């Protein structure tokens, strides 16, 4: 399975599952120190999602609202350019894992 496919599969998991995967994958590097921040992000994502904690991604508007809540506001153009750098061309839905990794 290719990396893009793995990322897509992971991005279709719940916020909790995405956060757990991220913390397990990066525990030694910084997960242990940043665990509370990751869980805060997961809960904020869920609070902006009409599906709540069962959700898996935010639309572009929701992603902007999430960034604002975290004092990381970007313009629409700047956010799209940010996602293009790692090769994400069409931003319709932004899973939590995409925010955490990139």
């Amino acid at each position: 399975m290719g990396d893009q496919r793995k990322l897509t599969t992971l991005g279709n998991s719940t916020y909790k599952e995405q956060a757990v995967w991220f913390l397990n994958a990066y525990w030694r590097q910084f997960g242990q120190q940043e665990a509370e921040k990751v869980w805060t992000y997961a809960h904020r994502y869920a609070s902006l999602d009409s599906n709540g904690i069962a959700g898996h991604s935010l639309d572009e508007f929701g992603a902007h609202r999430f960034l604002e809540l975290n004092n990381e506001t970007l313009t629409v153009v700047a956010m799209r350019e940010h996602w293009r750098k790692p090769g994400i061309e069409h931003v319709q839905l932004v899973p939590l894992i995409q925010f955490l990794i990139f």
Side-chain angles (χ1 to χ4, degrees):
M1 185 184 299
D3 290 341
Q4 184 61 40
R5 196 170 184 184
K6 288 178 186 176
L7 185 60
T8 300
T9 300
L10 182 58
N12 287 326
S13 302
T14 65
Y15 297 125
K16 179 182 176 183
E17 292 166 336
Q18 292 177 57
V20 167
W21 183 93
F22 181 82
L23 289 171
N24 285 337
Y26 294 101
W27 189 254
R28 287 189 183 135
Q29 290 92 336
F30 54 85
Q32 189 171 9
Q33 296 83 8
E34 300 294 331
E36 289 300 319
K37 185 185 283 187
V38 170
W39 285 116
T40 298
Y41 290 158
H43 287 283
R44 283 186 183 157
Y45 246 70
S47 73
L48 295 169
D49 192 327
S50 61
N51 294 314
I53 199 73
H56 59 82
S57 56
L58 296 175
D59 62 16
E60 191 174 11
F61 179 73
H64 279 282
R65 291 181 58 211
F66 173 79
L67 291 174
E68 288 173 4
L69 287 173
N70 292 292
N71 298 317
E72 297 180 34
T73 306
L74 295 174
T75 66
V76 171
V77 173
M79 188 171 109
R80 289 177 182 167
E81 287 175 3
H82 174 77
W83 295 128
R84 281 190 193 110
K85 288 178 187 176
I88 301 166
E89 290 298 321
H90 302 288
V91 178
Q92 291 180 334
L93 296 175
V94 182
L96 175 64
I97 195 68
Q98 190 170 311
F99 170 78
L100 294 172
I101 291 174
F102 300 110

